[in-house]
Amino acid sequence: MRTSRRWMTALLPALLAPATAAAVEPLDRFSFSIGTYLTRFDTQLRADGERGRGTEVDLRRDFGLDDETRIAFAGLTWRPFDRHEFGVGYFADSVEADRRLQRDIVFEDKVYEAASTVHARYDLDSIEAYYVWWAFSEDTWALGPRVGLTWYQVDFGLKATLQMDGTPASGELEEHYKGDLPAPTIGAGWRWTPARDWRVSADAGWLSTEVNGIDADIGYGRVGLEWHPRPRFGVLLDYSRFQIDASTRRRDFTGHLRMHNSGLRLGLVFRH
């Protein structure tokens, strides 16, 4: 987060200095973006065990994990040929909290009793890669099919710290899950330059798939606005939403994950 703020502070004078701005085009040959992501996570999780089905839990309601955070993001696009564009993006989030349980929770065959206190931690890394073939590319707009893959690395830990009577809990009630969750989508990308220094962009995708023991419905959407007062620098503001509803049957984890991630991104763009 501090790194993204330093970048934005350093580049802001270059954006505001007077200069003749070149007209922005729908597509860049190369671009790099960095900024702040005001995000909201809505996550439900169920961890089954060998003896039966686990409890469906909400990470905010049941464990007190903050679902609204401000984190840093970075993105890169490259168009080596006129109609072929590749892009990558990354962000990470980490939250933890202590909570007195309001109900019994079964997590991988272990029972965490109501009125006991637990410590929960949730780490999420998101690595996105995509490809767009700009089938239609005109002077002020471009449109084409888009294939994307977001790779989520999920790390969730749950540990009982106090028993119902307030005495310290034994170390036996502790569980930890760490795994990868691939989320592919197929859709379209669109770019439009309605005025000299402005560009509008949108991407959307969806896929229902079963791969590597994961049966999932995945959706993605993003709409953004860019202002480019300088030939090589600009400001971006966009809103994105990603959702995945997945049932897993893998050796390291069997259960269900429902995750919705949405929020606003504000950042700086270097383009060529």
Side-chain angles (χ1 to χ4, degrees):
M1 171 55 66
R2 292 179 180 176
T3 301
S4 67
R5 288 178 178 174
R6 287 198 296 267
W7 273 95
M8 295 181 72
T9 302
L11 293 177
L12 193 58
L15 289 171
L16 299 179
T20 301
V24 65
E25 299 176 347
L27 303 176
D28 297 325
R29 184 64 64 182
F30 169 86
S31 74
F32 173 73
S33 59
I34 187 171
T36 297
Y37 188 17
L38 305 174
T39 182
R40 177 185 176 90
F41 290 93
D42 182 12
T43 305
Q44 290 88 42
L45 175 69
R46 190 191 76 238
D48 300 335
E50 295 180 358
R51 296 194 297 269
R53 185 184 180 97
T55 304
E56 188 90 21
V57 295
D58 184 290
L59 298 191
R60 180 189 61 82
R61 183 191 65 220
D62 291 306
F63 302 128
L65 295 175
D66 190 3
D67 59 350
E68 295 184 354
T69 56
R70 184 171 60 179
I71 57 180
F73 78 89
L76 180 73
T77 70
W78 179 44
R79 188 166 55 93
F81 307 104
D82 286 344
R83 296 182 182 272
H84 302 273
E85 179 178 303
F86 301 88
V88 294
Y90 174 79
F91 70 83
D93 193 17
S94 179
V95 292
E96 58 183 321
D98 293 291
R99 183 81 162 192
R100 189 175 188 183
L101 298 181
Q102 303 300 311
R103 58 175 178 150
D104 290 348
I105 291 177
V106 179
F107 192 92
E108 291 191 337
D109 286 336
K110 292 187 177 180
V111 180
Y112 297 80
E113 296 181 333
S116 63
T117 301
V118 299
H119 179 80
R121 190 192 76 254
Y122 181 66
D123 298 326
L124 180 69
D125 288 82
S126 171
I127 304 171
E128 178 195 17
Y130 72 85
Y131 163 76
V132 182
W133 174 51
W134 296 110
F136 305 94
S137 181
E138 303 296 335
D139 292 339
T140 60
W141 63 276
L143 176 69
R146 180 185 189 275
V147 178
L149 173 64
T150 301
W151 197 278
Y152 286 106
Q153 294 178 330
V154 180
D155 190 347
F156 177 72
L158 184 63
K159 179 181 180 180
T161 57
L162 296 175
Q163 299 184 46
M164 298 171 59
D165 58 3
T167 59
S170 67
E172 297 179 358
L173 277 181
E174 181 175 2
E175 285 296 333
H176 180 261
Y177 166 71
K178 185 175 183 179
D180 296 329
L181 184 63
T185 57
I186 299 175
W190 174 68
R191 305 291 183 268
W192 175 45
T193 52
R196 180 180 180 85
D197 302 330
W198 297 88
R199 177 165 57 196
V200 179
S201 61
D203 301 297
W206 181 85
L207 189 65
S208 180
T209 182
E210 184 173 356
V211 59
N212 196 23
I214 301 174
D215 185 3
D217 293 323
I218 305 160
Y220 168 78
R222 185 193 67 84
V223 59
L225 178 66
E226 299 176 25
W227 174 51
H228 293 269
R230 300 281 295 180
R232 295 289 179 249
F233 292 95
V235 179
L236 72 86
L237 176 67
D238 68 20
Y239 174 83
S240 64
R241 180 176 177 84
F242 186 93
Q243 61 185 41
I244 180 169
D245 193 340
S247 297
T248 64
R249 298 177 300 276
R250 305 174 68 177
R251 184 179 60 183
D252 56 347
F253 181 78
T254 298
H256 184 260
L257 174 67
R258 181 182 296 109
M259 181 172 64
H260 293 179
N261 169 27
S262 61
L264 287 171
R265 299 192 310 170
L266 175 64
L268 298 177
V269 183
F270 169 78
R271 52 180 292 270
H272 177 70

